[in-house]
Amino acid sequence: GQNIDQPTEMTATEGAIVQINCTYQTSGFNGLFWYQQHAGEAPTFLSYNVLDGLEEKGRFSSFLSRSKGYSYLLLKELQMKDSASYLCAVRDKDDYKLSFGAGTTVTVRA
Amino acid sequence: KAGVTQTPRYLIKTRGQQVTLSCSPISGHRSVSWYQQTPGQGLQFLFEYFSETQRNKGNFPGRFSGRQFSNSRSEMNVSTLELGDSALYLCASSLDRGSFYGYTFGSGTRLTVV
């Protein structure tokens, strides 16, 4: 099974940088996903890491260390529209089941 | 291309009733997964279907069931509804099992049991 932990809430100022950490324990690993979910909307795919290292996609970057069971999502040049919940999810290598953390609510202040 | 379509968007049911929710995946996507989302529990995996076969099931009682049709559309059914079944039910589709393109979610069906 999977055990996924991420902070509940984070607050940052417009234009700043925020790093959302995610730690996981898993019996079998087949990739880590980050999703963004605005209130009342569906989660949308942000990034996928299966190998160690940093994946950069515009203002968003995601890092993975498989040996440490650790990932982070880095949001740069924060904008008000980035206020949302960010979900870390781990996929199991045997059954491909995607297990989600409880989500981190990011609030961007002007 | 069209996204994942879930119907209906909102439902109000009475305890003891049953409900059927529908999910049409993105054209070409063969894997469909269902999740229950509540404020207290977050996103909880219900089941996954691929090629009309249930591949995985989460830790939910047998009142929760589903199926997938030959065109990859999927339905989930909840029988003998309880108040605790009130939640947002999300469907997600992907090209294949284990796809690195990720999963695309529908907007969900918000079920309220009274």
Side-chain angles (χ1 to χ4, degrees):
Chain A
Q2 323 276 8
N3 187 23
I4 302 165
D5 289 314
Q6 50 182 130
T8 305
E9 293 181 351
M10 302 183 76
T11 301
T13 306
E14 201 172 11
I17 298 173
V18 70
Q19 178 174 313
I20 306 169
N21 296 323
C22 171
T23 58
Y24 64 90
Q25 294 173 311
T26 176
S27 53
F29 179 82
N30 186 256
L32 186 143
F33 295 81
W34 284 96
Y35 282 85
Q36 180 192 59
Q37 186 177 27
H38 286 101
E41 297 183 11
T44 55
F45 171 78
L46 287 178
S47 68
Y48 170 68
N49 294 70
V50 67
L51 299 176
D52 291 351
L54 187 68
E55 293 280 343
E56 297 188 83
K57 217 187 259 189
R59 295 188 298 113
F60 293 3
S61 303
S62 57
F63 171 83
L64 175 67
S65 169
R66 290 171 296 169
S67 62
K68 295 181 179 175
Y70 168 71
S71 173
Y72 68 72
L73 179 69
L74 195 69
L75 285 61
K76 294 178 273 191
E77 301 169 17
L78 278 172
Q79 301 175 9
M80 300 298 287
K81 67 178 181 179
D82 297 329
S83 292
S85 179
Y86 291 85
L87 306 167
C88 171
V90 175
R91 183 164 63 192
D92 185 275
K93 72 174 180 61
D94 293 322
D95 62 16
Y96 298 113
K97 190 172 88 172
L98 202 60
S99 298
F100 284 82
T104 299
T105 300
V106 171
T107 302
V108 181
R109 299 176 305 188
Chain B
K1 57 182 178 183
V4 179
T5 303
Q6 289 189 248
T7 57
R9 287 297 308 276
Y10 301 93
L11 263 179
I12 300 176
K13 290 286 188 179
T14 306
R15 257 185 314 176
Q17 287 186 311
Q18 75 161 19
V19 67
T20 299
L21 312 181
S22 178
C23 171
S24 293
I26 290 173
S27 178
H29 282 198
R30 299 188 295 164
S31 172
V32 174
S33 298
W34 288 89
Y35 292 85
Q36 181 195 66
Q37 187 173 34
T38 58
Q41 297 294 319
L43 270 157
Q44 300 291 312
F45 174 78
L46 281 157
F47 25 65
E48 180 211 357
Y49 287 88
F50 180 79
S51 293
E52 301 177 65
T53 303
Q54 186 181 92
R55 303 294 175 148
N56 278 310
K57 189 171 175 17
N59 296 323
F60 280 81
R63 300 184 296 108
F64 291 81
S65 63
R67 58 178 174 168
Q68 186 180 35
F69 301 95
S70 58
N71 61 358
S72 294
R73 191 177 72 85
S74 178
E75 289 181 346
M76 69 164 277
N77 184 277
V78 188
S79 62
T80 320
L81 283 165
E82 301 177 359
L83 294 179
D85 296 333
S86 294
L88 179 66
Y89 289 88
L90 291 162
C91 159
S93 76
S94 65
L95 267 173
D96 211 334
R97 307 191 76 215
S99 169
F100 58 82
Y101 290 109
Y103 301 77
T104 303
F105 282 84
S107 297
T109 294
R110 184 162 296 282
L111 172 65
T112 302
V113 182
V114 297

